[in-house]
């Protein structure tokens, strides 16, 4: 029983370390970082699909476009479920012709979400920007 | 004792039979799916090219084609022959058509330059060996396509291709691609990345927009180069390639291999 003190001391250190991310943040008085400030295209009302879908699933939509266009050779344009508008299945031609400043939109949000997509290692902005 | 051993015998026999039938069906399924997804299935249509060897003897014609391809696909300029990226280039006649070379052939014929590119084979060996289906024969138009997202850089396809049509990116190609004053590359065609294999895609991105391949367009713009390269669909009876193939003597590379090239040469 003489080790009781040591054991509780060790446990206390363990609990303090494990919960550090929570109380560390609180004691520093930090609020959560603001959402990424994104610049939206000025002359467009809506994206290809509605915003919550695009925010959550744009990467899946892009993969779907790639498979349909390149693998299946489907030359028809993509029809939006939002308003029936049609769009070429193209990251450079469709997405980036609207979101002209890639850094003020894609990169800013990817940085906020701490994701590192590899799209731009190959794909260019319209006009061959690398 | 006797009944026990008989019981064991029956159990083992049943187990073996079950194993055999399962194993057999797994093997059959694997082979069948292999046939479905790999190699030359039927295609709905087939793009093809005819190269006039006489007209393409003019270096200006060939150079125009190569330059147009480099610009259209952002191909890096790498001097080292071990590392360079080639979609369409010169080879000597004796290397392009090794089974046509005989002792009496004059040297200037043996060493004559011939334009070579991916043959977009009917039965492409590169597609058979690709473990990720990063390269496949597209049913809609017969193009042997590549999806760089899937390529793992194993280079089986390079070993399988008997024409050497494929190049491997040993390094990041971007620094070696031509750029204009603003630092932009020549086209919106995605550049590639280190560790993927690439080759001619018959300008699938241009065909999609109703254009001819970049090399064909470039050759036609060079005086004397009109018709050095012809392009069309074999499924269209009225296409220029079908007319040429039915009226002139054409050959393809290494017929005996059974790959079924779709790049034809007028001799």
């Amino acid at each position: 029983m003489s080790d009781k003190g040591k054991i509780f001391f060790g446990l206390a250190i363990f609990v303090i370390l494990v919960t550090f991310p929570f109380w560390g943040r609180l004691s520093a008085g930090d609020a959560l970082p603001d959402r990424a400030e994104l610049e939206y295209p000025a002359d467009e009302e809506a994206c290809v699909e509605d915003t919550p879908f695009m925010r959550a699933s744009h990467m899946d939509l892009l993969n779907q476009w790639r498979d349909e266009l390149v693998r299946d050779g489907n030359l028809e344009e993509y029809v939006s479920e939002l308003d029936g508008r049609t769009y070429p299945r193209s990251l450079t031609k469709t997405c980036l012709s609207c979101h002209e400043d890639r850094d003020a939109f894609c990169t800013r949000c990817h940085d906020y979400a701490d994701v590192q997509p590899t799209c731009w290692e190959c794909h260019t902005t319209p006009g061959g920007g690398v | 004792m006797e009944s026990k051993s008989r019981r064991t015998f029956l159990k083992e026999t049943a187990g073996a039979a079950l194993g055999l039938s399962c194993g057999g069906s797994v093997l059959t399924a694997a082979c069948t799916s292999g046939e479905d997804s790999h190699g030359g299935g039927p295609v709905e249509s087939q793009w093809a090219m005819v190269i006039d060897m006489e007209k393409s003897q003019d270096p200006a014609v060939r150079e125009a084609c190569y330059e147009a391809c480099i610009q259209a696909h952002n191909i890096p300029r790498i001097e080292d022959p071990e590392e360079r990226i080639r979609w369409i280039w010169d080879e000597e006649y004796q290397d392009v058509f090794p089974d046509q070379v005989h002792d009496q052939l004059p040297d200037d014929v043996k060493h004559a330059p011939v334009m070579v590119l991916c043959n977009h084979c009917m039965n492409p060996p590169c597609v058979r060996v690709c473990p990720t289906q990063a390269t496949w024969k597209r049913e809609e138009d017969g193009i042997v396509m590549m999806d760089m997202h899937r390529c793992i850089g194993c280079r089986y396809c390079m070993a399988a291709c008997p024409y050497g049509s494929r190049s491997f990116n040993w390094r990041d190609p971007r620094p070696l691609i031509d750029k204009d004053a603003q630092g932009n590359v020549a086209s919106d065609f995605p550049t590639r990345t280190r560790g993927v294999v690439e080759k001619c895609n018959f300008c699938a991105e241009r065909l999609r927009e109703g254009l001819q391949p970049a090399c064909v367009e470039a050759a036609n713009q060079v005086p004397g180069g009109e018709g050095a390269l012809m392009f069309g669909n074999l499924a269209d009876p009225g296409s220029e390639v079908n007319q040429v193939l039915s009226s002139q003597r054409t050959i393809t590379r290494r017929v005996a291999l059974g790959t079924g090239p779709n790049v034809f040469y007028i001799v």
Side-chain angles (χ1 to χ4, degrees):
Chain A
M1 281 303 115
S2 60
D3 286 342
K4 202 173 179 181
K6 287 181 189 166
I7 289 171
F8 276 107
F9 181 67
L11 275 177
I13 290 178
F14 174 76
V15 170
I16 288 167
L17 286 179
V18 164
T19 54
F20 171 76
F22 300 98
W23 57 259
R25 173 66 73 183
L26 288 175
S27 63
D30 286 358
L32 280 175
D34 288 333
R35 280 193 115 124
E37 280 290 321
L38 304 184
E39 287 173 24
Y40 292 92
D43 45 358
E44 285 289 341
E45 288 291 304
C47 196
V48 173
E49 297 292 352
D50 63 42
T51 307
F53 174 83
M54 294 309 294
R55 189 176 290 143
S57 307
H58 59 281
M59 61 301 255
D60 299 325
L61 185 71
L62 285 169
N63 282 350
Q64 183 193 326
W65 281 7
R66 174 198 67 203
D67 290 345
E68 287 169 348
L69 182 74
V70 177
R71 199 158 281 270
D72 305 335
N74 181 356
L75 302 183
E76 308 275 308
E77 293 200 333
Y78 175 79
V79 182
S80 169
E81 289 180 20
L82 191 65
D83 52 10
R85 270 178 71 179
T86 62
Y87 300 90
R89 293 177 166 86
S90 168
L91 172 64
T92 299
K93 274 188 220 151
T94 298
C95 308
L96 294 181
S97 66
C98 250
H99 298 286
E100 280 167 342
D101 191 350
R102 186 175 77 190
D103 292 331
F105 188 77
C106 312
T107 311
R108 228 173 256 180
C109 194
H110 289 152
D111 284 350
Y112 175 79
D114 196 20
V115 289
Q116 288 89 28
T118 52
C119 312
W120 318 119
E121 286 177 18
C122 294
H123 290 275
T124 68
T125 51
V130 292
Chain B
M1 181 68 196
E2 206 178 283
S3 71
K4 193 178 178 186
S5 77
R6 201 178 90 161
R7 192 172 166 209
T8 317
F9 169 73
L10 284 175
K11 266 163 83 176
E12 283 171 357
T13 314
L18 191 69
L20 205 65
S21 66
C22 286
S25 62
V26 165
L27 271 178
T28 321
C31 293
T32 320
S33 73
E35 271 168 18
D36 285 343
S37 57
H38 291 270
V43 288
E44 290 161 23
S45 70
Q46 175 67 56
W47 291 111
M49 186 179 285
V50 179
I51 297 178
D52 188 324
M53 284 206 273
E54 201 59 49
K55 286 182 185 165
S56 61
Q57 285 308 298
D58 180 358
V61 173
R62 296 199 310 277
E63 202 46 49
C65 296
Y66 304 155
E67 203 50 40
C69 183
I70 287 171
Q71 300 299 324
H73 301 110
N74 295 324
I75 297 172
R77 293 185 198 270
I78 302 174
E79 293 305 321
D80 182 353
E82 301 259 302
E83 294 196 11
R84 73 184 154 201
I85 308 290
R86 301 186 297 186
W87 286 35
I88 179 169
W89 71 100
D90 279 355
E91 289 283 358
E92 291 187 1
Y93 179 89
Q94 60 178 2
D95 299 325
V96 180
F97 303 106
D99 36 10
Q100 300 291 337
V101 175
H102 53 80
D103 291 347
Q104 306 308 317
L105 209 59
D107 273 355
D108 61 333
V109 175
K110 277 186 191 165
H111 300 301
V114 179
M115 298 173 88
V116 295
L117 66 160
C118 170
N119 283 291
H120 295 273
C121 302
M122 284 306 199
N123 186 19
C126 53
V127 170
R128 287 178 75 88
V129 300
C130 180
T132 60
Q133 292 182 29
T135 191
W136 74 100
K137 188 158 181 74
R138 201 154 72 173
E139 276 179 34
E140 289 72 23
D141 54 11
I143 293 180
V144 176
M145 285 291 285
M146 285 219 54
D147 179 355
M148 301 304 170
H149 302 91
R150 280 205 195 186
C151 179
I152 56 171
C154 70
R155 293 180 283 144
Y156 281 8
C157 55
M158 294 178 69
C161 176
Y163 308 106
S165 297
R166 291 170 166 267
S167 307
F168 183 66
N169 284 279
W170 290 96
R171 52 166 103 190
D172 178 15
R174 275 206 172 164
L176 299 161
I177 300 172
D178 290 352
K179 296 183 193 70
D180 62 13
Q182 283 78 45
N184 292 340
V185 294
S187 102
D188 281 344
F189 193 81
T191 66
R192 273 71 65 194
T193 180
R194 192 170 77 105
V196 297
V197 174
E198 62 182 87
K199 67 168 192 74
C200 161
N201 66 349
F202 259 0
C203 280
E205 79 286 354
R206 290 170 58 89
L207 298 174
R208 198 186 289 153
E209 292 171 4
L211 298 167
Q212 291 265 292
C215 54
V216 177
E217 195 180 274
N220 283 330
Q221 283 166 1
V222 177
E226 300 90 351
L229 300 183
M230 286 163 280
F231 191 79
N233 206 309
L234 292 181
D236 169 13
S239 68
E240 192 181 18
V241 286
N242 270 331
Q243 286 170 7
V244 171
L245 290 173
S246 60
S247 62
Q248 301 202 44
R249 290 182 189 185
T250 51
I251 57 174
T252 62
R253 296 176 70 184
R254 303 183 69 178
V255 180
L257 296 176
T259 54
N262 283 302
V263 174
F264 302 86
Y265 294 87
I266 302 176
V267 285

